[in-house]
């Protein structure tokens, strides 16, 4: 394990339990045996993150001497991983290598992106140790990006595919998330209807097939093929950051029809089971 007992790192994760980006961060922290506190954010009022000008989750507050706020799931993972490998720099310094930049999307919308977010800030020696050959590093980055830019977009169209599935998804979101009683009831029905229609728009935007399951199966099988038959994980005998990202994203569908269908219609199961076996929960509700 990467945990050094003399070397304390206090972590608090602000999240929605069922958000794929948050799930990725939990998979990463759990796998590395890093303890953290979880603050479940109410997605309607979001008052738990009022302190932050960054308005999305996950947010990770890290205290390694002085308090620090880390935004964006991939930045969080790259920065903490860099910190675990190289103890040369302070976490603050590491985070400064992932600066936010404002960019404009094709639709003309202004969005915040983070530079270098799939890159670990390692020196030559550390790089040799972690990535014996360059291809391994390139592959890990490629698939982490794929998880963020492609795989996540298949989740909503699949879990809100039919009115029945949309209702089941919202029932699960409300059950797992932080909602008031009335809010929850409201969110469940209004949310399910809204997301049923939103997911149709997302399907168009990301140019998914009429049967969105086809895209999910294809993506998942593509991943399984990339891992190949000669290794347990993309990382070899242990998961790398791409394994953790893909697992984190897929996991949010657990308990839903889309997940069961995926297990039946793809070759993901052996890898998925291996992931479950190597990850133990270290987070505690706060
Ligand atoms: N690129 C970000 C995306 C995070 C994200 O989109 N989070 C969603 C929840 S799944 C959110 O907080 N949305 C609220 C909003 O956009 O106002 C990451 O990787 O962390």
């Amino acid at each position: 394990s990467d945990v050094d007992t003399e070397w304390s790192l206090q972590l608090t994760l602000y999240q929605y339990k069922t958000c794929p980006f948050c799930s990725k961060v939990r998979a990463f922290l759990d796998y590395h045996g890093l303890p953290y506190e979880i603050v479940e954010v109410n997605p309607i009022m979001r008052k738990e993150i009022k302190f932050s000008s960054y308005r999305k989750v996950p947010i990770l507050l890290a205290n390694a001497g002085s308090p620090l706020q880390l935004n964006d799931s991939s930045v969080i993972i790259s920065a903490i991983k860099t910190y675990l490998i190289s103890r040369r720099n302070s976490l603050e310094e590491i985070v400064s290598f992932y600066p936010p930049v404002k960019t404009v999307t094709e639709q003309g919308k202004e969005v915040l992106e983070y530079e270098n977010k799939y890159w670990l800030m390692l020196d030559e020696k550390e790089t040799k140790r972690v990535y014996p050959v360059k291809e391994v590093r390139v592959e890990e980055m490629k698939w982490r990006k794929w998880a963020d830019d492609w795989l996540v977009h298949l989740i909503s169209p699949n879990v809100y595919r039919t009115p029945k599935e949309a209702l089941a998804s919202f029932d699960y979101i409300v059950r797992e998330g932080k909602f008031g009683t009335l809010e929850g009831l409201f969110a469940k029905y209004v949310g399910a209807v809204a997301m049923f229609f939103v997911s149709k728009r997302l399907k168009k935007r990301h140019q998914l097939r009429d049967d969105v399951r086809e895209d999910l199966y294809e993506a998942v099988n593509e991943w399984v093929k990339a891992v190949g038959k000669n290794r347990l994980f993309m990382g070899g005998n242990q998961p790398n950051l791409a394994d953790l990202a893909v697992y984190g994203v897929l996991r949010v569908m657990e308990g839903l029809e889309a997940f069961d269908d995926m297990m039946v219609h793809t070759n993901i199961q052996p890898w998925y089971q291996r992931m479950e076996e190597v990850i133990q929960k270290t987070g505690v509700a706060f």
Side-chain angles (χ1 to χ4, degrees):
S1 143
D2 286 308
V3 188
D4 186 330
T5 44
E6 306 158 328
W7 177 75
S8 80
L9 184 60
Q10 265 179 44
L11 303 173
T12 307
L13 177 67
Y14 291 79
Q15 69 157 14
Y16 306 147
K17 169 106 187 270
T18 54
C19 150
F21 304 104
C22 303
S23 172
K24 266 168 51 188
V25 172
R26 286 199 314 276
F28 168 80
L29 296 174
D30 289 342
Y31 173 68
H32 289 85
L34 296 169
Y36 56 100
E37 276 170 357
I38 295 172
V39 177
E40 191 67 27
V41 176
N42 175 307
I44 299 172
M45 297 309 290
R46 288 190 284 175
K47 69 171 191 289
E48 295 82 1
I49 56 167
K50 279 273 150 65
F51 65 85
S52 167
S53 56
Y54 177 78
R55 306 297 292 150
K56 292 182 179 180
V57 292
I59 293 172
L60 187 74
L61 293 191
N63 199 323
S66 55
L68 200 61
Q69 177 176 339
L70 282 71
N71 304 328
D72 189 278
S73 59
S74 290
V75 171
I76 292 171
I77 290 167
S78 293
I80 301 284
K81 182 73 182 183
T82 298
Y83 188 60
L84 292 174
I85 296 167
S86 107
R87 313 256 171 111
R88 291 168 290 114
N89 294 318
S90 69
L91 186 57
E92 193 164 6
E93 202 167 347
I94 292 169
V95 173
S96 74
F97 297 134
Y98 302 96
V101 280
K102 279 206 180 111
T103 56
V104 180
T105 64
E106 287 168 36
Q107 288 90 9
K109 212 177 133 207
E110 210 178 67
V111 289
L112 206 61
E113 253 311 339
Y114 290 85
E115 255 174 277
N116 314 316
K117 68 178 181 178
Y118 302 109
W119 187 255
L120 303 189
M121 300 295 164
L122 308 176
D123 67 17
E124 220 174 305
K125 235 173 94 187
E126 292 154 355
T127 303
K128 276 251 161 62
R129 180 157 60 83
V130 181
Y131 303 111
V133 292
K134 186 174 152 244
E135 287 71 24
V136 178
R137 187 181 209 171
V138 173
E139 184 185 46
E140 183 188 68
M141 286 175 55
K142 174 187 161 186
W143 288 95
R144 285 179 74 191
K145 187 165 162 39
W146 176 84
D148 282 358
D149 293 351
W150 179 242
L151 190 61
V152 282
H153 297 312
L154 304 179
I155 304 291
S156 289
N158 270 282
V159 302
Y160 303 118
R161 187 182 59 150
T162 61
K164 184 166 152 263
E165 286 178 271
L167 209 56
S169 295
F170 259 90
D171 182 62
Y172 154 74
I173 285 172
V174 170
R175 220 174 335 114
E176 298 287 335
K178 184 174 177 184
F179 289 90
T181 318
L182 275 176
E183 255 176 21
L185 216 60
F186 177 81
K188 183 174 158 186
Y189 294 99
V190 177
V193 173
M195 280 313 293
F196 174 77
F197 290 105
V198 168
S199 75
K200 302 298 166 217
R201 220 170 54 224
L202 291 172
K203 172 176 160 182
K204 221 182 238 144
R205 181 186 305 165
H206 300 294
Q207 297 172 347
L208 305 192
R209 267 168 280 189
D210 237 359
D211 181 1
V212 288
R213 287 288 195 274
E214 294 295 324
D215 289 291
L216 178 65
Y217 300 160
E218 188 180 284
V220 164
N221 281 333
E222 205 187 326
W223 163 255
V224 174
K225 197 166 161 224
V227 174
K229 289 203 164 72
N230 299 323
R231 47 186 180 180
L232 297 174
F233 304 100
M234 185 169 273
N237 289 329
Q238 288 298 320
N240 67 10
L241 299 180
D243 289 290
L244 292 165
V246 172
Y247 172 74
V249 170
L250 294 179
R251 171 168 77 166
V252 300
M253 295 190 295
E254 268 184 34
L256 301 174
E257 200 178 308
F259 185 86
D260 299 338
D261 285 348
M262 173 181 81
M263 284 296 166
V264 173
H265 292 99
T266 70
N267 308 318
I268 193 88
Q269 208 195 354
W271 171 86
Y272 195 89
Q273 213 163 348
R274 269 175 247 139
M275 287 300 296
E276 287 182 312
E277 279 160 20
V278 295
I279 293 180
Q280 292 176 28
K281 287 196 183 69
T282 57
V284 290
F286 185 50

